[in-house]
Amino acid sequence: MRKFAKISAVLAAMVLALAFAGCKSDDDDDDDAKPIQAIVINGDVVTLYDDGTVIIKASDGTTSNGTYTKADGKIVIKDSKGNTTEAKSTTDGKVDTSEPVTIKDKDGNETKTEVKEKVIKTNESNGTSSTKNILAGKTYYSIDFEEKRFNSAADNRAKICISMVAFDSNGQKVKYTELAYDFKKGAVEKNNDIESDEFNYSVSGSTLTVGGDNDPLIGTINSDGTINAEGSVMKEFKGNLYAIAEAKADEKRLLAKAHIVIVDGTACTYENRIFKNKSNANPQEDAEVVKGTVSGNTLTLGEGEETMTGSLSDESIIFIDPEDSSKQIFKRM
C-alpha cells in the first residue's frame, strides 16, 4: 500500500523513530459511533450503531459489516450478502423485540423468526462496545503495483509492494509488514526487502484510522470484509503469507510479477498479479489464483498433471524449476 510504504520510508529515514503520536485521548472517543442496541436473530448477535452501521457476529464466531435504515415505523437491516431483516421500530428508534422479524434472502425468499434483546457489554477503560472493533485479531494483505511504466530497456520501472497488516486481539495495535521490490532502468534497486513496524489504530463505524494526528492513514471497512485504503484493497486471510516479486525488461517489453502463497494448515492458495507492457502496445494486467494442499514440508499447487511442488519451512517456500534447476524463494512475511 502506498500510504503504508510512505510511513515505512519515513520511519527508516528517522531510524525507525515512531512518526505517529500514538494513543487516543479520552476526548477522541466522543467522535466514535456508539452502539444503540444489540439483538439476537437465529443465534447471530446484531449490534446497531448510531451512524447507521451494524456489526453481525455469527453463531460460528465470524463477524461482518452491514447497514440499517429507518422509515415508516420500520427498521431494515442489510448484511454483506444482500440479505435483509425487517423489524418493527419502537418509538425511540430501536428494534421492537416483542414481535417477530421478517428475513428476506437475496433471492426474495421470506421467513419470520423471533428476536431477542441482548445487553451491550462495554470496555470499562474507554466505554466502547466490546463487539465494535471487528478488525481485532484479523490479518489482511494487499498486492500493489505502485508504479509501472515502459518506454525502452533504459527507461522503465516496476515498483511492487506486497503488504500485510495484523491487528492485535486487544484492538489497539496493528503490525504492518511490507515486501518491497523496485526495478528501475533495467536494474533491481530493492530485491524483496522486508520491513515491519507497529502503529496504534482505531475503528469508528466503518472508518479505520492508523496512526495519530500526524498524517494518519484513513481506510474504509467494506460490507464484504475488505478494507480500502489509499487506493489499495486489503483482503482478510488466515494462516501464513509467503511472497516474492520479480521483473525484467528488454527493448521490446517490461514484465513484472508479484506472487504470494497463503498456507493455512493443510490447505494453501497461490495468487499472482502480472503486468506486461510492450512497445507501442496497450499495457496488460493479469491475475491468477490456484488452490493447493500441504503435507508435512511439501506444498503442492494445482491438480492432476498440472501441478507444482515446493519445499515449505517456517521462513520460506522454495520452488525448483525442473528444467534448469533454478530456485524461486518465497519469503515469509
Side-chain angles (χ1 to χ4, degrees):
M1 292 170 58
R2 287 186 293 275
K3 190 63 173 282
F4 270 125
K6 176 182 174 183
I7 293 172
S8 294
V10 171
L11 293 173
M14 298 179 66
V15 196
L16 297 181
L18 286 177
F20 296 119
C23 299
K24 294 169 50 180
S25 67
D26 292 340
D27 293 338
D28 292 334
D29 290 336
D30 294 338
D31 297 327
D32 288 348
K34 301 296 191 298
I36 61 174
Q37 186 182 24
I39 54 177
V40 180
I41 304 173
N42 291 336
D44 299 342
V45 179
V46 182
T47 305
L48 290 75
Y49 291 82
D50 59 7
D51 62 353
T53 62
V54 300
I55 301 297
I56 304 170
K57 186 173 183 180
S59 54
D60 62 3
T62 59
T63 56
S64 61
N65 285 42
T67 59
Y68 71 92
T69 56
K70 300 178 182 180
D72 302 325
K74 298 179 181 179
I75 294 178
V76 179
I77 301 169
K78 186 175 182 179
D79 66 19
S80 60
K81 298 178 182 179
N83 305 314
T84 60
T85 300
E86 184 177 292
K88 182 181 177 181
S89 175
T90 61
T91 55
D92 59 352
K94 296 183 180 181
V95 172
D96 187 345
T97 57
S98 67
E99 295 190 15
V101 297
T102 302
I103 300 175
K104 182 185 294 185
D105 64 24
K106 58 184 179 181
D107 297 322
N109 301 311
E110 292 187 4
T111 58
K112 286 186 177 292
T113 187
E114 299 296 320
V115 58
K116 297 180 180 180
E117 188 93 16
K118 181 177 175 64
V119 176
I120 298 176
K121 296 181 179 180
T122 58
N123 186 323
E124 293 180 357
S125 63
N126 57 23
T128 59
S129 168
S130 62
T131 61
K132 179 57 178 163
N133 189 350
I134 67 168
L135 299 181
K138 294 186 177 182
T139 308
Y140 292 74
Y141 76 94
S142 68
I143 303 173
D144 297 289
F145 284 79
E146 297 185 341
E147 188 173 349
K148 48 188 187 294
R149 71 170 189 270
F150 176 78
N151 294 312
S152 67
D155 183 11
N156 52 71
R157 190 171 190 186
K159 188 177 181 181
I160 302 171
C161 177
I162 301 174
S163 305
M164 181 179 76
V165 289
F167 299 91
D168 71 7
S169 58
N170 295 322
Q172 297 177 345
K173 296 286 186 178
V174 57
K175 182 179 180 181
Y176 170 69
T177 304
E178 170 193 284
L179 182 143
Y181 182 88
D182 198 355
F183 182 84
K184 189 176 182 181
K185 297 181 179 180
V188 178
E189 294 193 353
K190 279 191 175 182
N191 192 8
N192 294 295
D193 297 341
I194 294 180
E195 296 180 355
S196 63
D197 214 311
E198 191 174 67
F199 306 95
N200 297 300
Y201 82 98
S202 62
V203 175
S204 177
S206 60
T207 300
L208 164 68
T209 302
V210 178
D213 297 330
N214 182 16
D215 193 23
L217 179 144
I218 306 297
T220 300
I221 306 170
N222 302 314
S223 59
D224 63 359
T226 60
I227 300 174
N228 283 10
E230 299 293 329
S232 298
V233 179
M234 296 189 292
K235 300 178 182 179
E236 183 186 0
F237 76 96
K238 295 181 180 179
N240 297 322
L241 178 66
Y242 300 78
I244 187 174
E246 56 185 332
K248 60 182 179 181
D250 54 26
E251 290 295 342
K252 295 182 179 181
R253 69 169 184 172
L254 167 69
L255 177 62
K257 301 179 181 180
H259 315 263
I260 68 166
V261 173
I262 296 172
V263 177
D264 183 16
T266 59
C268 62
T269 303
Y270 165 82
E271 181 179 345
N272 70 23
R273 303 281 174 83
I274 300 174
F275 175 80
K276 304 175 185 176
N277 194 345
K278 296 182 179 181
S279 299
N280 302 317
N282 293 326
Q284 295 180 335
E285 294 193 36
D286 298 310
E288 181 184 20
V289 176
V290 178
K291 299 293 184 179
T293 58
V294 177
S295 178
N297 294 327
T298 301
L299 180 146
T300 304
L301 297 173
E303 296 179 340
E305 296 180 358
E306 297 183 0
T307 60
M308 180 170 62
T309 60
S311 177
L312 172 67
S313 69
D314 288 339
E315 294 79 23
S316 65
I317 299 174
I318 301 175
F319 293 99
I320 300 177
D321 191 317
E323 295 184 0
D324 60 11
S325 298
S326 61
K327 293 183 179 181
Q328 192 174 45
I329 302 175
F330 288 60
K331 297 180 179 179
R332 180 177 172 180
M333 294 181 63

